[in-house]
Structures are given as structure tokens and as C-alpha cells.
Amino acid sequence: TAQILDGKAVAEQRLQKIAEQVAKRRKQGLRTPCLAVVLVGNDPASTVYVRNKKFACEKASFASRSYELPASTTQEELLQLIDELNASPAVDGILVQLPLPPHLNSQSIIERIQPDKDVDGFHPYNVGRLAVRMPLMRPCTPKGVMTLLETYGVEIRGKKVVIVGASNIVGRPQALEMLLAEATVTVCHKATQNLEHEVSEADIVIVAAGKPKLVKGSWIKPGAIVVDVGINRLDNGQLCGDVEFEAAKERAAMITPVPGGVGPMTIATLLENTLYAATLHDKPAA
Ligand code: NAD
């Protein structure tokens, strides 16, 4: 039975390390990193994510600012807030919680964020930097997965990695991260013809489809490493991933649980990105 990749514990350790670095910055007379979190409307999942992000800021002793705007907010109003946060020397990172209400154009909002404050790593500039192997701000979930695997000593170079899901925020940048680590990468999506076959060849499989138990335990190659990014709320209120956990656990060498796997790593990486953004904003000594 598989070893559990304990994202919750690894994320706690990272938050502690970040807090130490923040304390060191203060001693050196440098600013406390500050994350601005923008939530539009009151989507229940988004509200929980935003609350967790603010809580993590407290744990890492970051400053945070919170902008909770009504669902009726216009594109122009949101763009204006982004412009203000871009211009504010007190703000290091800007996070606009997605999804936005349907009348707003997320892509043009994302593109308005200054790349050096784009701590989600979703701006095309930052995605492009990752694509050409010169990463700056890296998308949080894929980077968090890399950190988790690295912490457990998983070797990536030369491995066959199969990613299920090709979204802009998880699957695609995950493929770029894995390429950067010199894996052989296959990306599956809705049009993939034989998902079972693709998954069964993976040394490492990363699933981000948003479909509960899409990947069956019997598909997993014995000894493979399984990373489940999916977060699905079932009718009974339980959270479950995109992988049949119990069955997969019997075949895999290592597996992430849901919850307590990738989710906490995403938040820890967001804070790492915000700390990195703060270093970009440090003024050179006069
Ligand atoms: P999305 O809906 O934007 O993308 C889903 C992708 O999966 C698409 O590329 C689609 O083609 C593919 N897909 C859907 N059904 C498929 C099928 N039957 N076979 C093969 N491919 C299929 O979703 P997303 O934003 O990438 O999120 C995916 C999941 O990850 C969701 O459950 C989301 O809640 C979760 N998520 C978790 C974290 C975290 O921190 N743990 C972060 C972001 C997203």
C-alpha cells in the first residue's frame, strides 16, 4: 500500500520557513510582504479559498489586504482596483480569486496585473517565461506539486509523466513544469481517445480534471506515483479527488490524499511567490 504524500505537513513546514525569512527581512529593515486578495461575489468555494489564503498570510506573518466586492462589480471598476494595487508600493502580490462572475472578462483582468505582482503566475508573460525555461512567477498549484514531489525525493528526470487536464491554471503549466524537470510528458484532456491506456503507462500521473473518481485504481501502473489535484464536493458534503483513492492506493508507490495533499501546497506556494515578489520590490540600498 502506497506511502501518503502529506501535503498538509509539508505546507506547514514551508509556512514556518517563510515566517522565519519574513522575520529576517524585518531585522534587515526590509518590508513585510503584503498580499492583496480580491474576491468578487460570494461563490461558496471561492469564499473558503480566500479565507484559507488570508489565514496562511497570518501564519507566515505576512500583511494582507482583502477586497470583497459585490457580484455586480463592473469590468471597469475591477480594472481600476487592479491599477491602484499595481501602483501601490505597499502591495507585493495581487490575487484575483477565480472564477469571476460571468459578466467579467477574467483574461483581461489577469493581463492587467503587473507581472511582478502576479503571484498566481497566470499572466501570459509569466506563463511564457515558464514555457521558455526562464521562470519568474510560477503558477502555484503546479509549482506546489513539484515542491511536494521534491520533498519526498521523487526523481522526475526521464520519467513518463501523464497529466490529465489541460487547463490554463493547472494542467498546462504542470506540463511546462514537468518538461522543465526533463520528464517525458503526455497531456490528456476531454478529447483524449483512450485515457485508461495513457494513464496505465505513467510513472507519475497528475490528475486535474474536476471529475470525481475519473481515474480508476485499476488503471494505475504498479509502483506509480499518483498526484490528485481534483477537489470535488459530493452530494453528501464530502470532498473527493479525481482518482479512486482506495483502489489506487493499493497499486501506487506514493499518492496524495484529498483533502490534505495538493491544496495546502498551493497556498504555501502562493506565499513563496509573494515573498519572492517582495524581493523584486526591495529598493537597492542607497
Ligand atoms: P478545468 O475545468 O478548467 O479543466 C479541466 C480539464 O480536464 C480540461 O482540460 C478538460 O479537458 C479535462 N477533462 C475534463 N473531463 C475529462 C475527461 N473525462 N477525460 C479527460 N480529461 C478531462 O479545471 P481546473 O481549473 O484545471 O481544475 C481541475 C480540478 O482541480 C478541479 O477539481 C479543481 O477544483 C481542482 N483544483 C485544485 C487546486 C488545488 O489547489 N488543489 C487548484 C486548482 C484546481
Side-chain angles (χ1 to χ4, degrees):
T1 163
Q3 180 183 8
I4 301 294
L5 299 172
D6 188 346
K8 191 162 180 247
V10 174
E12 286 287 334
Q13 288 166 11
R14 308 281 302 190
L15 287 188
Q16 247 172 48
K17 281 231 178 75
I18 295 168
E20 283 164 22
Q21 281 172 271
V22 172
K24 203 165 121 197
R25 284 178 60 83
R26 285 209 200 90
K27 269 196 203 132
Q28 294 169 337
L30 297 169
R31 286 182 17 262
T32 300
C34 174
L35 175 66
V37 181
V38 180
L39 174 64
V40 184
N42 48 14
D43 175 72
S46 293
T47 306
V48 173
Y49 294 145
V50 162
R51 196 195 303 142
N52 288 342
K53 287 166 187 175
K54 283 191 280 193
F55 186 53
C57 280
E58 281 170 32
K59 269 197 185 158
S61 75
F62 279 32
S64 76
R65 293 183 179 193
S66 160
Y67 298 85
E68 294 182 9
L69 310 177
S72 59
T73 303
T74 65
Q75 184 82 8
E76 289 64 38
E77 286 167 336
L78 189 50
L79 287 173
Q80 204 196 326
L81 173 60
I82 304 289
D83 288 344
E84 283 166 26
L85 297 174
N86 279 339
S88 166
V91 171
D92 294 297
I94 304 171
L95 181 143
V96 178
Q97 183 65 46
L98 302 178
L100 290 170
H103 68 280
L104 297 174
N105 176 347
S106 311
Q107 199 53 34
S108 79
I109 303 286
I110 289 169
E111 290 188 32
R112 191 71 154 238
I113 299 171
Q114 237 166 248
D116 63 316
K117 295 193 176 188
D118 168 40
V119 286
D120 254 338
F122 294 160
H123 192 291
Y125 175 80
N126 284 318
V127 180
R129 293 288 308 208
L130 179 59
V132 297
R133 294 175 280 180
M134 292 191 284
L136 289 175
M137 215 67 86
R138 299 156 82 153
C140 298
T141 300
K143 178 76 183 340
V145 168
M146 302 310 282
T147 303
L148 184 61
L149 294 176
E150 189 183 306
T151 304
Y152 280 89
V154 174
E155 212 186 299
I156 309 241
R157 187 161 185 270
K159 293 286 162 58
K160 182 155 174 59
V161 175
V162 174
I163 297 163
V164 182
S167 71
N168 287 347
I169 69 170
V170 191
R172 267 163 217 266
Q174 188 72 70
L176 294 174
E177 285 287 351
M178 283 293 175
L179 263 182
L180 189 62
E182 295 186 282
T184 300
V185 183
T186 300
V187 184
C188 305
H189 43 73
K190 264 189 228 134
T192 296
Q193 303 224 342
N194 191 340
L195 187 62
E196 171 174 357
H197 173 72
E198 301 297 342
V199 169
S200 70
E201 298 207 314
D203 300 313
I204 301 172
V205 55
I206 300 170
V207 190
K211 295 277 166 347
K213 304 188 184 182
L214 171 70
V215 169
K216 308 303 169 205
S218 61
W219 298 0
I220 304 298
K221 180 163 91 174
I225 292 163
V226 178
V227 177
D228 190 349
V229 181
I231 304 177
N232 307 290
R233 185 152 318 261
L234 301 177
D235 290 338
N236 64 12
Q238 262 189 334
L239 285 185
C240 98
D242 291 350
V243 177
E244 259 186 3
F245 179 81
E246 290 304 329
K249 198 175 65 165
E250 296 311 313
R251 294 172 70 88
M254 296 179 173
I255 189 167
T256 61
V258 177
V262 176
M265 292 304 299
T266 296
I267 295 187
T269 307
L270 170 68
L271 296 200
E272 284 171 357
N273 281 353
T274 306
L275 178 59
Y276 172 61
T279 67
L280 296 178
H281 301 142
D282 288 340
K283 298 210 173 41

